[in-house]
Amino acid sequence: MGFLVRLELENFKSYKGRQVIGPFKPFTAIIGPNGAGKSNLMDAISFVLGERTSNLRVRNLRDLIHGAPIGKPVASRAKVTAVYGEEDGTEILFTRIIVGSGSEYRIDGKVVKPDVYQARLESLGILIKAKNFLVFQGAVESIAMKTPKERTQLFEEISRSGELASEYEKKKAMMSQAAEETAFTYHKRRGITLEKKEARAEKEEAERYQKLQQELVDSQLEEQLFKLYHNEQQIDGLVEEVKAKQRELDRLVSRRQKIEADLKSKKQEAAKLSREMSVLEKKIREREVQLNKQRPLYIKAKERTSHVIKRLEATKKAHKKAVQIHEKHQEEIESLEGELEEVGHRAAQYEEEMAEESQSQQDLQLMDSQLAEYNKLKAKVGKKSAALMQQLDRVRHEQRTDEEAMEQVRLKGEELAGRQQQLREQRTQHEQRIEKLESYISTNQQTVSKLQREHEKLSEEVSQATLRYRELNDALETVQDKLRDARVDSQESSRQQKKAEVLENLKRLYPGVYGRLIDLCEPVHRRYSVAITKVLGRNMDAIVVDQEKTGKDCIQYIKEQHAEPCTFIPLDTIEVKAINEALRELGGSTKMVIDVIRYDPPSIKRALQFACGNALVCDTMEEARKVAFGGHERRKAVSLDGTLFQKSGVISGGASDIKAKAKRWDEKQVEGLRRQRNRYLEELKEVSQVRRKEPELQNLTSQISGLETRLKYSRRDMEVTQEQSLAENARELELIERELQEIEPRTLNIQASIDARSSGMAKIQGKINKVEDEVFRDFCRSIGVANIRQYEEKQLKGQQERAQRRLEFANQQSRLQNQLAYEKQRDTKANVRKLASSIATDESSIASLQKEEQDMLEDIEGMEAGIDQLREQRQSLKNQSDEQEVGSREIKKMLGSHNKDATMLQKKLNTMETELDQKRADRHSLLKACKMEDIKLPMKRGSMDDIGDEEASTAATQSDETGSTAAMMDIDSMTSQGARVWYERESQIVLNYAKLEDELRELADDSDIRKMAQELNTKVSRLQSTLQRISAPNMRALEKLEGVEARLQETSEAFEHTRQHAKKTKAEFERVKKQRYDRFIDAFEHVSTVIDDIYKRLSNNTSAQAFLGPENAEEPYLDGISYNCIAPGKRFRPMDNLSGGEKTVAALALLFAIHSYQPAPFFVLDEIDAALDNTNINRVANYIEQQTAQSFQCVVISLKEEFYCHANALIGITCDAVGDCTVSRTLTHDLTQYPTTASGASPAKARPQ
């Protein structure tokens, strides 16, 4: 196996110029201080072996040139050459050169492409992608801590099974898609096979169905001709009767129009009075609004006046007290001035007395010679006692200083006592002010609480009224919208009103009458209205009764009253089909019609089942068509726009009157809405009266706001007085008391010092006296005194007494002058003037406020008088309106009587017209049914195209389907103008009744006609039932069968094609899967086999264990690979819980095991010993020594002597600072020339360091 001989670097990173590093031995260690360029050497090896720029710690290749990172490249290119030596001694030069922004690859000096360069390296066992030759700094522990999935990716790179990953996923996706396509075509073929069987059965059914259809056509023609013939006979008789009644009604209408004109005139006069009353009402409301606005202003003005009066009273009380304080202050000043004058007088008197005493006293007088001798001797004494005199003067000076300090302390005590008295008076004033403020605040709080309660009560009333006003307006608007939406044709409403009167009478007379079907049910949502109207048809107005007998009694009553004919549905005799529950599971927007109808009472459900049957409703016409005709069985379906799909294949819809009829669902709510509207209007009037109290509420708000503002300032004033004024007063008092307490001990200390100093002065004076006595002994004998001090005392004592008295007088004058100056400084008169000014201002304000209050009161009284006058006018107009109302009622009564006669005649005429319309409608329905059911009527004049195309009634088709026409006792009719046009058009059609047997035409009795019609209908119904039971077959079954067989053949061919394709894709997938598995498992088994032995050798302990395990045994590359190690002498622990050294050893075991799978000729490791202790370092180094001797070359960067001392060669790297760049230098030292120690454990001790 070859090896790395040396590296040749030129201007690469920190290696300036051309440098040759090497030769590299089997075990070479690279050492050097941090920052010297060791990692740059790793980058050089990575660079020359084709590593990408992003892994070389630079942004682009040009930054690899020496000096480029600081903008000073030393050259335009850099080059690294790796010299690789073969076993036979030949060398291969791999060179990579930075040229511009790219790089150039060379092998033995020849330029080659990158893929050729990489292939040549891989042929030597150097895998660039797998990095099987290089471990960067800090990567060792991260390898051990990789997640199982990351470990799998590492094995994929080593085994190169990852190269097949994309092809694996692609083949897998193709296999899955092919399997899905095969399953789809299989199910499709199976479905078409079943469809073929159904098509064959349909063909046989269609042939049987055609025979029954022809028999049904003949029976239907006979039945329709019979009904049409007898219907025409009845129409001719009714036409003559209607013409006679109409002439009589015209005469009554003429008389009614005259009465209505008189009533209209009365109504106009009433409307005029109503407008005048409305104008007065508006004026009254406006005046009331102005009055409501003025009253709060009056109350506010009254409150302002009251507040100023209260403030004036409080100011007067304060002024009175301020005057008392000022008078007391003046008395104190006068008293102090008197005392000061008296002290001055006593001082002057004392000076006079001293002068007189001085003149009268007979002092001892010396002669001039004696005086000269006295002075001479005194000077002698001064010389002898100079030191004592100086000492005595110094002590006397200190004594005078203490006496002055004592006097200052006394004066300060007097000043503090005066200030203390002043502060106590201020505190009393503050406390009195706080009491007044508390009383004021308490009174205002009670007033505010009372006003707030009134405000809350009134606010709640107004807010509730406002909220209710909005709710009522919203509700009223909603009701008005509903009334506008529910507005129907006036003629139709009149007709419905007449029907309602008849229905009420029937309910009153016959307890078994439930009511009209439209009144007993409603759609669950308005969007279903048109569809439900279409399905119910004329059954909407049908009256539901409990028994057939009740229905017949009701019909008899209607005939007697000449009321409009009605349809009845007796619950005991109608035939109702069971609900087909399977129809509820069709999905989409399809629902059963009966499920979208709410009804009450529950007993009418049979009537709804009879009217609706199993009909279905869908959102769109296309969906309804699909539901009706798209399945094996035809169904009756209707869309939301009213398009109806019958089982027979007939499609009807688009009639404009259907939407008009659908609006009738809202008619039954109209009366309730009107009552609701009137109730809302009444409540709005009541609520409006409460809302007019808003000005009063605003007034209360302003009063409360004003009181709260005053309370806020009063509280603030009280807080300031309590927290600041009183607190400052208390602090100052406390300070003064402390100072007063400090004065007494200070005085005692000074006094003690004075007393002690006095005794010292006495001793000094005794010594001086001794000197004097000795000097003045002869002189004293001559003047006749015991000692010279006796003479001096007589002279000095008087002077001292006079000085002491003068000092006392001066102190008293100073104290009184200071106190007088302080009292004069206090300006109590300014407060008196200020309060007097405030009183004058408030008195003038009260007068203006009272005048303003009186003016407002007069305005309010004037407004109230005006409102009373307007109310009297309104009452007068109301009386006139009442009189007009009485006259209108008399006219209305006359009109009502006349209308009653006209109504009775109109009812008879309407009954006849209704009966005539019913007969015409019956004829139209019969003709329409013939046209819709494609019954070819024989005609003398006209054709089937002359029959109306609009939807006149759905009941005829329903009766054909259910066979219950007789049970319904159908006597309804059509009255719309459009229908009448069609009736006139259809009256021109003349039928040929030649095919109708004579015995059927000759029947005259109604009962015989009904009986025969029933028999004919029963025959038709029986045939229809037979056809319905066998279901309508597909008449194009043969074509369908041929199409199904063709599709079956096509699907079978497609199935075989997809099956072969799926088989092929599965085989391709299995091939790629096997290749990937073989590559991966080959590497994994090799590594898992050798890793345990490597770990034991690295740990130097056979108890150590290392093992790898795949999480997915079948396809291990899809999931993770677990890696666990058991350190020597320890129990099993997860990799996260191992120490740093144990993790490093485990990582190295994995690295060496992986390297052994596809070993590179050399292995470069960067500081793998960082986390190892000395023991583990020796073990790892010994292992590397063993492997380098046998398997591969190892280049290790290390900073630990215990590791690199095992190497065969050392490459030392150092650096020099040249300008702004660091230049790396290298030194290679061969250690093989030095012998190892005897034990071989520490060869470094025998080698030069």
Side-chain angles (χ1 to χ4, degrees):
M1 182 178 291
F3 59 94
L4 181 63
V5 178
R6 64 182 179 277
L7 286 175
E8 297 177 2
L9 283 68
E10 184 177 337
N11 295 325
F12 184 85
K13 280 199 169 184
S14 60
Y15 296 92
K16 183 178 181 182
R18 185 177 185 277
Q19 296 191 35
V20 178
I21 302 174
F24 292 99
K25 297 294 182 179
F27 185 5
T28 302
I30 301 173
I31 62 175
N34 289 332
K38 299 189 298 298
S39 296
N40 289 342
L41 182 58
M42 289 284 287
D43 291 341
I45 296 173
S46 302
F47 172 73
V48 75
L49 295 180
E51 185 61 78
R52 289 181 299 179
T53 307
S54 58
N55 294 329
L56 299 176
R57 301 180 298 160
V58 292
R59 293 184 179 179
N60 53 67
L61 283 174
R62 293 188 62 82
D63 290 341
L64 294 173
I65 299 174
H66 182 77
I70 61 173
K72 298 178 180 179
V74 298
S76 61
R77 50 185 278 169
K79 179 176 71 172
V80 178
T81 299
V83 180
Y84 180 80
E86 295 280 10
E87 292 181 355
D88 57 2
T90 60
E91 291 184 349
I92 304 174
L93 276 64
F94 292 94
T95 305
R96 187 177 179 186
I97 305 172
I98 300 172
V99 179
S101 60
S103 61
E104 180 180 283
Y105 297 89
R106 294 184 181 184
I107 299 176
D108 292 332
K110 289 182 61 178
V111 178
V112 296
K113 293 183 179 179
D115 52 351
V116 175
Y117 191 86
Q118 183 176 346
R120 184 71 173 111
L121 289 172
E122 289 179 357
S123 67
L124 299 175
I126 301 172
L127 305 179
I128 298 174
K129 293 183 179 179
K131 294 186 182 67
N132 65 335
F133 60 91
L134 185 65
V135 177
F136 284 104
Q137 181 178 349
V140 175
E141 187 174 349
S142 66
I143 291 173
M145 296 307 298
K146 282 182 182 292
T147 63
K149 195 66 180 174
E150 291 172 342
R151 211 170 284 123
T152 302
Q153 292 175 358
L154 178 62
F155 273 90
E156 289 243 86
E157 291 174 355
I158 295 299
S159 65
R160 301 179 67 182
S161 62
E163 297 175 358
L164 300 173
S166 59
E167 186 178 0
Y168 172 88
E169 296 296 335
K170 180 179 178 182
K171 298 297 183 184
K172 187 176 181 180
M174 291 174 63
M175 182 184 70
S176 300
Q177 183 179 1
E180 291 175 1
E181 291 176 355
T182 303
F184 173 75
T185 53
Y186 171 75
H187 289 297
K188 184 176 179 182
R189 186 184 68 171
R190 187 176 178 183
I192 294 173
T193 303
L194 294 175
E195 191 176 348
K196 179 182 177 183
K197 293 179 180 179
E198 292 175 359
R200 186 176 290 110
E202 286 179 1
K203 177 186 175 185
E204 296 172 357
E205 288 179 4
E207 294 173 352
R208 290 195 301 271
Y209 189 80
Q210 287 177 345
K211 294 179 182 178
L212 290 172
Q213 270 190 330
Q214 186 58 45
E215 186 179 352
L216 176 62
V217 168
D218 296 340
S219 299
Q220 286 177 333
L221 178 60
E222 184 180 19
E223 180 191 10
Q224 298 301 328
L225 286 175
F226 175 80
K227 290 179 179 179
L228 288 167
Y229 176 80
H230 290 286
N231 175 268
E232 290 179 0
Q233 298 297 319
Q234 294 170 352
I235 289 174
D236 293 340
L238 286 170
V239 168
E240 294 299 327
E241 294 180 12
V242 168
K243 289 179 179 179
K245 292 292 183 183
Q246 186 63 45
R247 287 191 294 271
E248 185 179 353
L249 180 62
D250 291 341
R251 292 193 297 272
L252 288 173
V253 169
S254 177
R255 289 197 298 271
R256 184 178 64 186
Q257 289 174 348
K258 183 178 179 182
I259 297 172
E260 286 176 346
D262 294 339
L263 180 61
K264 183 177 179 182
S265 175
K266 290 288 185 182
K267 286 183 178 179
Q268 290 175 347
E269 294 177 2
K272 181 179 178 182
L273 291 173
S274 177
R275 286 194 296 273
E276 293 177 357
M277 288 176 65
S278 298
V279 172
L280 287 176
E281 286 284 355
K282 185 177 180 181
K283 289 182 179 179
I284 291 171
R285 285 196 299 273
E286 290 174 353
R287 297 285 179 88
E288 286 177 345
V289 169
Q290 293 177 358
L291 182 60
N292 289 332
K293 290 181 179 178
Q294 196 67 20
R295 278 174 178 163
L297 297 176
Y298 170 70
I299 295 171
K300 205 168 187 178
K302 196 171 182 180
E303 178 67 21
R304 283 200 301 271
T305 305
S306 174
H307 172 68
V308 174
I309 290 172
K310 289 180 181 178
R311 187 175 66 192
L312 178 62
E313 292 174 356
T315 307
K316 284 180 178 179
K317 290 180 182 179
H319 179 264
K320 183 178 179 182
K321 190 162 185 180
V323 169
Q324 293 174 355
I325 292 171
H326 177 66
E327 291 174 352
K328 184 177 178 182
H329 181 242
Q330 292 297 323
E331 290 174 359
E332 289 179 357
I333 291 174
E334 291 174 359
S335 175
L336 290 171
E337 289 176 345
E339 289 181 7
L340 182 61
E341 185 178 354
E342 184 180 354
V343 170
H345 179 68
R346 287 203 306 270
Q349 187 177 1
Y350 175 74
E351 291 294 335
E352 291 175 359
E353 290 176 355
M354 288 298 102
E356 292 175 0
E357 184 179 351
S358 176
Q359 293 176 2
S360 62
Q361 184 178 7
Q362 297 296 325
D363 292 333
L364 181 62
Q365 299 291 331
L366 295 178
M367 293 182 294
D368 294 336
S369 60
Q370 290 176 328
L371 185 60
E373 187 180 0
Y374 169 79
N375 293 329
K376 182 180 178 181
L377 292 173
K378 195 70 174 176
K380 186 178 180 179
V381 170
K383 290 179 180 180
K384 286 186 176 183
S385 61
L388 294 173
M389 289 298 291
Q390 288 179 359
Q391 184 178 0
L392 183 61
D393 289 341
R394 186 174 65 254
V395 174
R396 281 176 179 170
H397 178 72
E398 293 175 356
Q399 189 78 343
R400 282 195 301 273
T401 303
D402 285 348
E403 287 174 353
E404 290 174 0
M406 176 72 84
E407 183 64 20
Q408 289 177 359
V409 169
R410 185 183 64 78
L411 291 174
K412 185 176 181 181
E414 291 177 357
E415 182 181 352
L416 289 173
R419 180 60 180 163
Q420 186 181 41
Q421 180 63 27
Q422 181 184 355
L423 289 172
R424 285 174 178 167
E425 291 176 0
Q426 288 181 358
R427 181 174 65 186
T428 303
Q429 293 175 2
H430 289 324
E431 290 173 349
Q432 291 174 354
R433 177 169 179 78
I434 289 171
E435 289 178 1
K436 291 180 181 178
L437 287 172
E438 287 177 345
S439 175
Y440 178 76
I441 289 170
S442 176
T443 303
N444 279 354
Q445 282 179 338
Q446 293 175 1
T447 306
V448 168
S449 300
K450 181 180 177 182
L451 291 175
Q452 283 179 339
R453 287 193 296 273
E454 295 177 3
H455 181 275
E456 288 175 0
K457 182 179 178 182
L458 187 58
S459 177
E460 185 176 0
E461 291 178 2
V462 172
S463 62
Q464 287 179 354
T466 303
L467 181 62
R468 184 59 183 161
Y469 183 81
R470 293 174 185 161
E471 291 175 353
L472 289 172
N473 272 331
D474 294 340
L476 187 60
E477 185 177 353
T478 303
V479 170
Q480 294 284 19
D481 292 340
K482 289 181 179 179
L483 283 173
R484 284 193 294 272
D485 294 340
R487 189 174 297 145
V488 293
D489 184 73
S490 58
Q491 182 179 357
E492 188 69 11
S493 298
S494 175
R495 181 184 176 197
Q496 293 296 332
Q497 186 176 2
K498 294 174 184 178
K499 286 187 176 183
E501 292 175 0
V502 172
L503 181 60
E504 289 300 322
N505 292 333
L506 291 176
K507 286 183 178 180
R508 179 172 49 83
L509 296 173
Y510 306 105
V513 178
Y514 290 101
R516 296 188 185 277
L517 194 60
I518 189 174
D519 298 326
L520 298 174
C521 64
E522 62 180 357
V524 296
H525 194 278
R526 291 187 62 182
R527 68 195 191 104
Y528 294 113
S529 299
V530 175
I532 293 172
T533 303
K534 184 72 175 178
V535 172
L536 293 181
R538 59 182 179 177
N539 285 331
M540 284 178 63
D541 291 321
I543 299 173
V544 181
V545 296
D546 57 350
Q547 297 176 359
E548 184 178 0
K549 182 179 180 303
T550 305
K552 290 180 178 179
D553 293 340
C554 291
I555 291 173
Q556 185 61 34
Y557 173 80
I558 290 172
K559 288 181 177 180
E560 292 173 357
Q561 296 297 321
H562 300 286
E564 187 175 350
C566 300
T567 301
F568 291 85
I569 302 178
L571 297 177
D572 62 336
T573 59
I574 55 175
E575 297 178 6
V576 178
K577 285 188 177 182
I579 297 296
N580 186 355
E581 295 295 335
L583 297 178
R584 290 193 170 103
E585 307 297 330
L586 291 179
S589 64
T590 305
K591 296 180 178 64
M592 295 194 71
V593 174
I594 197 169
D595 290 341
V596 296
I597 299 176
R598 275 195 298 265
Y599 53 87
D600 187 55
S603 55
I604 70 161
K605 184 176 180 180
R606 281 176 53 82
L608 282 174
Q609 289 177 343
F610 168 77
C612 299
N614 285 322
L616 302 170
V617 59
C618 305
D619 285 357
T620 63
M621 186 171 66
E622 291 299 325
E623 187 176 4
R625 184 194 305 275
K626 184 177 179 181
V627 169
F629 304 138
H632 299 297
E633 182 182 353
R634 292 193 176 187
R635 304 181 183 94
K636 182 179 179 181
V638 63
S639 61
L640 294 183
D641 62 357
T643 303
L644 180 66
F645 298 86
Q646 298 282 0
K647 288 183 179 180
S648 61
V650 175
I651 303 174
S652 60
S656 59
D657 60 338
I658 290 297
K659 293 184 179 179
K661 287 183 179 181
K663 291 183 179 179
R664 293 181 56 199
W665 292 106
D666 299 328
E667 288 182 15
K668 57 184 181 180
Q669 301 178 7
V670 171
E671 188 59 33
L673 291 172
R674 289 198 186 100
R675 289 195 299 271
Q676 197 173 8
R677 179 188 60 186
N678 295 335
R679 187 172 68 253
Y680 287 159
L681 290 172
E682 291 296 326
E683 193 172 352
L684 272 174
K685 290 181 180 178
E686 297 174 2
V687 169
S688 298
Q689 293 177 357
V690 178
R691 291 182 71 229
R692 294 193 190 103
K693 296 182 180 179
E694 285 187 357
E696 185 178 348
L697 180 64
Q698 294 174 357
N699 176 46
L700 285 174
T701 304
S702 62
Q703 290 184 38
I704 292 170
S705 176
L707 286 172
E708 287 179 343
T709 303
R710 289 193 288 276
L711 275 173
K712 176 182 175 183
Y713 290 122
S714 299
R715 289 194 184 100
R716 180 61 182 164
D717 191 3
M718 188 171 70
E719 289 175 0
V720 169
T721 304
Q722 287 177 336
E723 297 177 2
Q724 295 182 9
S725 301
L726 275 179
E728 290 176 1
N729 185 282
R731 284 195 297 272
E732 192 171 354
L733 272 175
E734 185 181 357
L735 182 62
I736 288 172
E737 288 173 358
R738 277 203 307 270
E739 289 181 357
L740 286 172
Q741 290 175 1
E742 292 173 357
I743 284 173
E744 185 175 357
R746 187 175 173 189
T747 304
L748 293 175
N749 291 335
I750 296 173
Q751 188 62 47
S753 177
I754 291 172
D755 293 343
R757 197 178 290 110
S758 297
S759 61
M761 288 172 61
K763 291 179 182 179
I764 296 171
Q765 188 64 45
K767 292 177 181 181
I768 295 172
N769 290 343
K770 268 186 177 184
V771 175
E772 286 181 346
D773 290 342
E774 187 177 341
V775 173
F776 281 97
R777 184 180 298 117
D778 295 336
F779 182 77
C780 290
R781 288 196 196 103
S782 65
I783 62 174
V785 293
N787 51 56
I788 195 62
R789 291 181 298 281
Q790 186 177 3
Y791 166 76
E792 291 175 348
E793 285 176 0
K794 288 180 180 179
Q795 294 295 325
L796 296 175
K797 187 174 182 182
Q799 294 177 1
Q800 290 176 352
E801 288 178 354
R802 288 193 294 272
Q804 182 67 28
R805 290 295 302 276
R806 288 191 185 99
L807 180 63
E808 290 177 357
F809 284 126
N811 289 337
Q812 289 180 3
Q813 287 177 340
S814 176
R815 179 177 61 79
L816 291 172
Q817 286 173 354
N818 290 334
Q819 191 171 356
L820 182 62
Y822 169 74
E823 292 296 336
K824 286 183 177 181
Q825 186 182 0
R826 290 174 56 205
D827 189 5
T828 55
K829 191 172 183 180
N831 191 28
V832 174
R833 289 195 298 270
K834 180 181 178 181
L835 292 172
S837 174
S838 177
I839 290 169
T841 303
D842 287 347
E843 287 176 347
S844 63
S845 298
I846 288 171
S848 62
L849 288 172
Q850 287 177 341
K851 184 176 182 307
E852 182 182 355
E853 180 182 338
Q854 184 62 31
D855 293 341
M856 288 185 178
L857 181 61
E858 291 175 358
D859 292 342
I860 291 171
E861 291 174 351
M863 290 180 183
E864 290 176 345
I867 290 171
D868 292 339
Q869 185 177 1
L870 290 173
R871 284 174 178 165
E872 290 176 0
Q873 294 176 9
R874 181 184 64 183
Q875 186 61 37
S876 174
L877 290 174
K878 189 173 185 303
N879 294 335
Q880 295 179 26
S881 177
D882 292 341
E883 292 175 1
Q884 290 287 344
E885 184 67 24
V886 172
S888 297
R889 280 201 294 270
E890 291 295 331
I891 296 175
K892 286 179 181 178
K893 187 175 180 182
M894 185 186 303
L895 181 62
S897 176
H898 193 76
N899 282 338
K900 186 175 181 182
D901 295 340
T903 301
M904 291 299 293
L905 183 58
Q906 183 67 49
K907 282 184 177 180
K908 293 178 181 179
L909 180 60
N910 287 341
T911 301
M912 296 174 69
E913 287 180 345
T914 302
E915 187 175 358
L916 179 59
D917 288 341
Q918 180 64 44
K919 295 302 180 184
R920 288 174 174 170
D922 291 345
R923 186 172 188 269
H924 173 76
S925 298
L926 292 170
L927 292 172
K928 181 70 174 178
C930 292
K931 182 175 182 180
M932 293 178 64
E933 296 177 11
D934 200 20
I935 299 174
K936 303 297 181 180
L937 296 174
M939 297 184 183
K940 294 181 179 179
R941 186 173 62 198
S943 65
M944 297 299 289
D945 294 334
D946 295 333
I947 299 172
D949 290 334
E950 90 289 355
E951 175 86 1
S953 173
T954 61
T957 57
Q958 290 174 354
S959 63
D960 291 339
E961 293 175 6
T962 61
S964 303
T965 306
M968 291 170 57
M969 296 169 287
D970 186 4
I971 58 170
D972 200 1
S973 64
M974 298 181 59
T975 59
S976 66
Q977 188 63 31
R980 292 180 183 274
V981 173
W982 282 108
Y983 298 162
E984 293 296 328
R985 182 176 177 181
E986 290 170 356
S987 64
Q988 304 300 319
I989 297 174
V990 178
L991 299 176
N992 185 0
Y993 295 104
K995 292 185 179 180
L996 187 63
E997 297 179 1
D998 293 339
E999 59 182 12
L1000 295 177
R1001 284 187 285 177
E1002 291 172 357
L1003 292 175
D1005 187 64
D1006 290 343
S1007 61
D1008 294 337
I1009 294 172
R1010 284 198 300 272
K1011 184 177 179 181
M1012 180 56 65
Q1014 182 65 32
E1015 291 176 359
L1016 294 173
N1017 182 261
T1018 302
K1019 181 180 178 182
V1020 171
S1021 298
R1022 185 177 66 254
L1023 291 171
Q1024 287 178 337
S1025 299
T1026 303
L1027 289 172
Q1028 288 178 355
R1029 280 197 303 273
I1030 65 176
S1031 298
N1034 186 359
M1035 304 309 293
R1036 302 179 65 181
L1038 181 59
E1039 297 177 7
K1040 180 180 178 182
L1041 180 60
E1042 293 173 352
V1044 169
E1045 289 175 346
R1047 283 192 292 119
L1048 179 61
Q1049 179 64 27
E1050 181 182 349
T1051 305
S1052 298
E1053 293 174 357
F1055 170 72
E1056 184 62 27
H1057 175 72
T1058 55
R1059 190 173 66 83
Q1060 292 297 330
H1061 179 64
K1063 185 176 180 181
K1064 180 180 178 182
T1065 54
K1066 183 177 181 181
E1068 291 176 353
F1069 170 71
E1070 291 296 336
R1071 177 182 57 79
V1072 174
K1073 175 182 174 183
K1074 185 176 185 306
Q1075 289 178 1
R1076 187 178 184 186
Y1077 177 81
D1078 290 343
R1079 289 188 186 183
F1080 187 89
I1081 205 66
D1082 182 49
F1084 177 76
E1085 287 180 351
H1086 172 82
V1087 174
S1088 62
T1089 301
V1090 303
I1091 192 169
D1092 185 61
D1093 180 62
I1094 293 173
Y1095 186 64
K1096 284 180 171 61
R1097 293 166 67 183
L1098 287 175
S1099 301
N1100 197 21
N1101 194 313
T1102 57
S1103 65
Q1105 297 180 41
F1107 40 86
L1108 294 167
E1111 295 178 357
N1112 186 343
E1114 293 183 0
E1115 293 187 80
Y1117 42 79
L1118 296 181
D1119 294 308
I1121 293 176
S1122 60
Y1123 176 40
N1124 294 287
C1125 294
I1126 301 176
K1130 296 185 179 180
R1131 59 183 178 84
F1132 173 78
R1133 285 186 296 176
M1135 190 67 70
D1136 292 343
N1137 295 339
L1138 296 180
S1139 66
E1142 290 171 343
K1143 289 178 183 176
T1144 302
V1145 173
L1148 288 172
L1150 181 59
L1151 278 174
F1152 290 134
I1154 291 173
H1155 183 265
S1156 67
Y1157 171 66
Q1158 286 186 342
F1162 53 86
F1163 206 12
V1164 184
L1165 306 174
D1166 189 358
E1167 293 189 22
I1168 62 171
D1169 55 353
L1172 297 177
D1173 56 11
N1174 291 339
T1175 302
N1176 284 322
I1177 287 174
N1178 287 326
R1179 290 172 181 171
V1180 173
N1182 288 333
Y1183 176 80
I1184 292 176
E1185 276 188 295
Q1186 296 171 10
Q1187 294 301 311
T1188 54
Q1190 303 171 2
S1191 303
F1192 57 84
Q1193 180 187 24
C1194 186
V1195 179
V1196 182
I1197 296 176
S1198 176
L1199 298 177
K1200 294 187 178 181
E1201 178 184 351
E1202 290 79 4
F1203 190 89
Y1204 63 70
C1205 67
H1206 291 266
N1208 303 124
L1210 291 179
I1211 296 178
I1213 299 178
T1214 183
C1215 62
D1216 298 325
V1218 179
D1220 295 332
C1221 290
T1222 298
V1223 178
S1224 298
R1225 308 290 183 187
T1226 62
L1227 175 65
T1228 303
H1229 195 66
D1230 186 3
L1231 300 181
T1232 57
Q1233 57 184 321
Y1234 301 100
T1236 60
T1237 60
S1239 61
S1242 180
K1245 295 180 180 179
R1247 300 176 182 178
Q1249 301 298 314

